[in-house]
Amino acid sequence: MTTETTAPDEPWRDPRLSTARRVRDLVARMTQQEKIAQLQGVWTGIDAAGEMAPHQHEFAVTPHDFDELTRHGIGQLTRVFGTRPVAPEVGAHSLARTQRKIVEASRFGIPAMVHEECLTGLAAWQATVYPSPLCWGATFEPDLIRRMAAKFGESMRRLGVHQGLAPVLDVARDLRWGRVEETIGEDPHLVGLIGSAYVAGLESAGVVATLKHFAGYSASRAGRNLAPVPIGPRELADVLLPPFEMALRAGARSVMNSYADNDGVPVAADQTMLTERLRDEYGFTGTVVADYFSVAFLHKLHGVAADREDAAAQALTAGIDVELPTVDCYGEPLLAGLGSGRVDQALVDRALTRVLTQKCDLGLLDPGHSPVPEAGVDLDDPESRALAREIAERSIVLLHNDGVLPLTGKRLAVIGPRADEPGAMMGCYSFPLHVGVHHPDVPMGVEVPTVLDALRAEHDVVFARGCPVLGGTDDEIAEAVATARLSEVCVVVLGDQAGLFGKGTSGEGCDIPDLKLPGRQEELLEAVLGTGMPVVLVLLSGRPYDISRQIDRLAAVVCGFYPGEEGGPALAGVLSGRINPSGRLPVGFPGAGSSQPSTYLAATLGTRSEVSTVDPTPLFPFGHGLSYAPATWVAVGCEEREWPTDGTCRVHVVLRNDMEIATSEVVQIYLHDPVAEVARPVRQLIGAVKVDLAPGQTRTVTAELHADLTAYTGRTYQRQVDPGDVELHVGTSSANVHSRLRLTMTGSPRVVGFDRALVPEFDTP
């Protein structure tokens, strides 16, 4: 028996038709107010939320009449789970009721898109807090990050969330910037490699990934948040944009603009950036959503728009499709602009088509769509915690070790403000520190063992805090010194308190003037070192700090950044030797003179010289990391001596593990271009892969490198591949090179574009 399906009277409701046909039909049926409603976000809990976005309470418009607001529909719902603590199942059913109201109140019954933050997992109460992006970069393992994003992406879809506002693809340029903790690192290839894996994972779960902040945000003058960006077109093209290009090719369906102005032009009003480059050059067809309040900022902060109507017109013209987080400029001001002729109707229809296309692809226009959530969603199940632990373990970086590690049978003094604090494991966009801090009477929602908890489970331990992250007394430091004298080894746990807008030492709006350890922590460290006891420094921080004054007296240094809810046991495992550390630095540690913003991506004039008293050489370089069982580099070679400008070369690295425990090595391949049209970085990463080796095992790594990986932006501002001599530097960090392979690139110069090869192909049998 067969049943005939009757086509709906309105083509836009018919799932059998193409998306383009359905959207075109729907757009033609909508009134101006209905169209504009789809370009708006609504944050219904903003009046009760703590400060979670810049100038939030100044610019927010609280919807006082939800029924009136939904009469024409709604484009987006903002942070239903991420505004206040709400149990997942309760929040899901509340969201379903809200969606039913929206569907029933409006003429076409189109559900809203629902977006949430998800930088370290879904930012919701009782959800797993995964390691921070710097930890992702430190793993050098894109597949691990893909698995993470896919895992929590599945939970997001089950709750009714359609879009995640991550990943952050800003390349760290100045370590004083508070949002360094949200970045993946200082190298565009690594950021793109890991960021595109995150995108692939989230999108595989059916959740729209949102690339941010497009582009230039991290290169602000003096490392200040939301400050002018003085970069040139080459830094933009060769350092800041490649991660976005890689992630777009991984399938990202949304992009968020940068708050900043680049050379005086705010990105929210930059048609060259958001349309000509993103759409015309890159071929992006998804939605561009405004970073929170950035459309209003064109009028209130940047001073490039006369009023909110002008701001709406400029943003829409530039290419911003949806105003987030709540209706302001894309409401009555945009309607007024249409009436006055300041806004072209075609621009509204262009943005609307993109929004409805995405909703159609998500099934929100289908007649059978139901907002009813699945029951029994566990956001912190054992599988999620195990994955969080695995990422933490694979990301911890052993920076220095004089042989005191691993710890075996020693009485430990555990000292420091980060040792017995669950929040020390988390960044500013984790739910407990982003939202939970505004609800001190509500439990954290997830179990987070501290470093002290984890070490006590394995060792004989005495403890003293010594001082808080900021402030403290002489008596507290004296107590820590006395405690240190009771031990055989001191583990000093220092670092940051993540927070927002001055509520922490790291995080959005928590920029710093130099890279000294916050508060009295360096003083505490010096006091403990003065006891003469061996000191192991553990850093839980959102950025690297200057420890150059202590490094010669420290027995060991371990960096965990913000390793998430399972970071305590992971760190204890590394300290005890149960885990052989395999993380590598995604950002270098500064040397003496802790206010220098430089990264390893410097041309010759940016390195140490005799004509400047400032030495930018890092204490620990990008890519650095030690092991308890370092791999033996047996051989490095290249099959070719000539490398066609339109072809490939193959590099072989033979590694052997001569130790009795398993080990890992990160093979890093850097390009050195001795002669080019413009000054190039002395060394720039073009390929990296982590290789695991069992005891006694030998493995051969083969990298096939396309000539496109040598491309750079030349004097005509085209990205080009040049013939001539180049070197491939193969090693274990940006400063530790095992082999220099000299090749000659042959053939004609080539201009390459968005479709160029972006990553090498690795074979690691």
Side-chain angles (χ1 to χ4, degrees), residues 631-642:
T632 299
W633 285 60
V634 178
V636 178
C638 183
E639 293 179 353
E640 302 86 6
R641 285 293 173 263
E642 293 188 346

PDB file of all heavy atoms in Angstrom, residues 631-642:
ATOM      1  N   ALA A 631      62.027  10.959  22.124  1.00  0.00           N
ATOM      2  CA  ALA A 631      62.243  10.107  20.961  1.00  0.00           C
ATOM      3  C   ALA A 631      63.620  10.374  20.363  1.00  0.00           C
ATOM      4  O   ALA A 631      64.162  11.485  20.444  1.00  0.00           O
ATOM      5  CB  ALA A 631      61.164  10.360  19.915  1.00  0.00           C
ATOM      6  N   THR A 632      64.183   9.359  19.762  1.00  0.00           N
ATOM      7  CA  THR A 632      65.453   9.489  19.054  1.00  0.00           C
ATOM      8  C   THR A 632      65.175   9.826  17.595  1.00  0.00           C
ATOM      9  O   THR A 632      64.412   9.121  16.923  1.00  0.00           O
ATOM     10  CB  THR A 632      66.255   8.180  19.134  1.00  0.00           C
ATOM     11  OG1 THR A 632      66.526   7.878  20.508  1.00  0.00           O
ATOM     12  CG2 THR A 632      67.561   8.302  18.370  1.00  0.00           C
ATOM     13  N   TRP A 633      65.778  10.901  17.116  1.00  0.00           N
ATOM     14  CA  TRP A 633      65.656  11.276  15.703  1.00  0.00           C
ATOM     15  C   TRP A 633      66.734  10.528  14.937  1.00  0.00           C
ATOM     16  O   TRP A 633      67.933  10.839  15.023  1.00  0.00           O
ATOM     17  CB  TRP A 633      65.795  12.786  15.541  1.00  0.00           C
ATOM     18  CG  TRP A 633      64.578  13.547  15.985  1.00  0.00           C
ATOM     19  CD1 TRP A 633      64.024  13.568  17.229  1.00  0.00           C
ATOM     20  CD2 TRP A 633      63.752  14.375  15.167  1.00  0.00           C
ATOM     21  NE1 TRP A 633      62.896  14.356  17.252  1.00  0.00           N
ATOM     22  CE2 TRP A 633      62.704  14.879  15.994  1.00  0.00           C
ATOM     23  CE3 TRP A 633      63.782  14.759  13.831  1.00  0.00           C
ATOM     24  CZ2 TRP A 633      61.708  15.721  15.524  1.00  0.00           C
ATOM     25  CZ3 TRP A 633      62.797  15.605  13.348  1.00  0.00           C
ATOM     26  CH2 TRP A 633      61.771  16.077  14.182  1.00  0.00           C
ATOM     27  N   VAL A 634      66.295   9.553  14.170  1.00  0.00           N
ATOM     28  CA  VAL A 634      67.233   8.686  13.455  1.00  0.00           C
ATOM     29  C   VAL A 634      67.696   9.325  12.154  1.00  0.00           C
ATOM     30  O   VAL A 634      68.893   9.330  11.832  1.00  0.00           O
ATOM     31  CB  VAL A 634      66.585   7.310  13.179  1.00  0.00           C
ATOM     32  CG1 VAL A 634      67.540   6.414  12.386  1.00  0.00           C
ATOM     33  CG2 VAL A 634      66.166   6.642  14.475  1.00  0.00           C
ATOM     34  N   ALA A 635      66.755   9.874  11.409  1.00  0.00           N
ATOM     35  CA  ALA A 635      67.112  10.442  10.104  1.00  0.00           C
ATOM     36  C   ALA A 635      66.042  11.424   9.655  1.00  0.00           C
ATOM     37  O   ALA A 635      64.861  11.283   9.981  1.00  0.00           O
ATOM     38  CB  ALA A 635      67.261   9.332   9.062  1.00  0.00           C
ATOM     39  N   VAL A 636      66.471  12.434   8.895  1.00  0.00           N
ATOM     40  CA  VAL A 636      65.583  13.387   8.244  1.00  0.00           C
ATOM     41  C   VAL A 636      66.092  13.567   6.816  1.00  0.00           C
ATOM     42  O   VAL A 636      67.290  13.785   6.598  1.00  0.00           O
ATOM     43  CB  VAL A 636      65.569  14.750   8.955  1.00  0.00           C
ATOM     44  CG1 VAL A 636      64.653  15.733   8.204  1.00  0.00           C
ATOM     45  CG2 VAL A 636      65.138  14.608  10.400  1.00  0.00           C
ATOM     46  N   GLY A 637      65.205  13.477   5.845  1.00  0.00           N
ATOM     47  CA  GLY A 637      65.647  13.615   4.466  1.00  0.00           C
ATOM     48  C   GLY A 637      64.523  14.041   3.551  1.00  0.00           C
ATOM     49  O   GLY A 637      63.343  14.080   3.942  1.00  0.00           O
ATOM     50  N   CYS A 638      64.892  14.366   2.335  1.00  0.00           N
ATOM     51  CA  CYS A 638      63.932  14.779   1.308  1.00  0.00           C
ATOM     52  C   CYS A 638      64.299  14.092   0.011  1.00  0.00           C
ATOM     53  O   CYS A 638      65.489  14.040  -0.362  1.00  0.00           O
ATOM     54  CB  CYS A 638      63.963  16.297   1.133  1.00  0.00           C
ATOM     55  SG  CYS A 638      62.754  16.927  -0.037  1.00  0.00           S
ATOM     56  N   GLU A 639      63.320  13.542  -0.678  1.00  0.00           N
ATOM     57  CA  GLU A 639      63.581  12.813  -1.916  1.00  0.00           C
ATOM     58  C   GLU A 639      64.066  13.729  -3.025  1.00  0.00           C
ATOM     59  O   GLU A 639      64.811  13.318  -3.911  1.00  0.00           O
ATOM     60  CB  GLU A 639      62.309  12.093  -2.377  1.00  0.00           C
ATOM     61  CG  GLU A 639      61.866  10.975  -1.454  1.00  0.00           C
ATOM     62  CD  GLU A 639      60.593  10.314  -1.953  1.00  0.00           C
ATOM     63  OE1 GLU A 639      60.009  10.822  -2.945  1.00  0.00           O
ATOM     64  OE2 GLU A 639      60.173   9.306  -1.351  1.00  0.00           O
ATOM     65  N   GLU A 640      63.630  14.991  -2.995  1.00  0.00           N
ATOM     66  CA  GLU A 640      63.909  15.902  -4.089  1.00  0.00           C
ATOM     67  C   GLU A 640      64.916  16.977  -3.671  1.00  0.00           C
ATOM     68  O   GLU A 640      65.061  17.276  -2.488  1.00  0.00           O
ATOM     69  CB  GLU A 640      62.627  16.594  -4.569  1.00  0.00           C
ATOM     70  CG  GLU A 640      61.533  15.650  -5.042  1.00  0.00           C
ATOM     71  CD  GLU A 640      60.633  15.140  -3.917  1.00  0.00           C
ATOM     72  OE1 GLU A 640      60.815  15.627  -2.772  1.00  0.00           O
ATOM     73  OE2 GLU A 640      59.803  14.263  -4.172  1.00  0.00           O
ATOM     74  N   ARG A 641      65.548  17.553  -4.646  1.00  0.00           N
ATOM     75  CA  ARG A 641      66.331  18.770  -4.448  1.00  0.00           C
ATOM     76  C   ARG A 641      65.701  19.932  -5.216  1.00  0.00           C
ATOM     77  O   ARG A 641      66.004  21.090  -4.945  1.00  0.00           O
ATOM     78  CB  ARG A 641      67.785  18.582  -4.904  1.00  0.00           C
ATOM     79  CG  ARG A 641      68.591  17.738  -3.929  1.00  0.00           C
ATOM     80  CD  ARG A 641      68.774  18.447  -2.600  1.00  0.00           C
ATOM     81  NE  ARG A 641      69.411  17.605  -1.581  1.00  0.00           N
ATOM     82  CZ  ARG A 641      68.752  16.931  -0.662  1.00  0.00           C
ATOM     83  NH1 ARG A 641      67.418  16.974  -0.630  1.00  0.00           N
ATOM     84  NH2 ARG A 641      69.373  16.185   0.224  1.00  0.00           N
ATOM     85  N   GLU A 642      64.831  19.582  -6.168  1.00  0.00           N
ATOM     86  CA  GLU A 642      64.069  20.595  -6.882  1.00  0.00           C
ATOM     87  C   GLU A 642      62.595  20.432  -6.543  1.00  0.00           C
ATOM     88  O   GLU A 642      62.083  19.314  -6.454  1.00  0.00           O
ATOM     89  CB  GLU A 642      64.288  20.478  -8.396  1.00  0.00           C
ATOM     90  CG  GLU A 642      65.693  20.816  -8.827  1.00  0.00           C
ATOM     91  CD  GLU A 642      65.827  20.872 -10.343  1.00  0.00           C
ATOM     92  OE1 GLU A 642      64.893  20.385 -11.048  1.00  0.00           O
ATOM     93  OE2 GLU A 642      66.835  21.397 -10.836  1.00  0.00           O
TER      94      GLU A 642
END
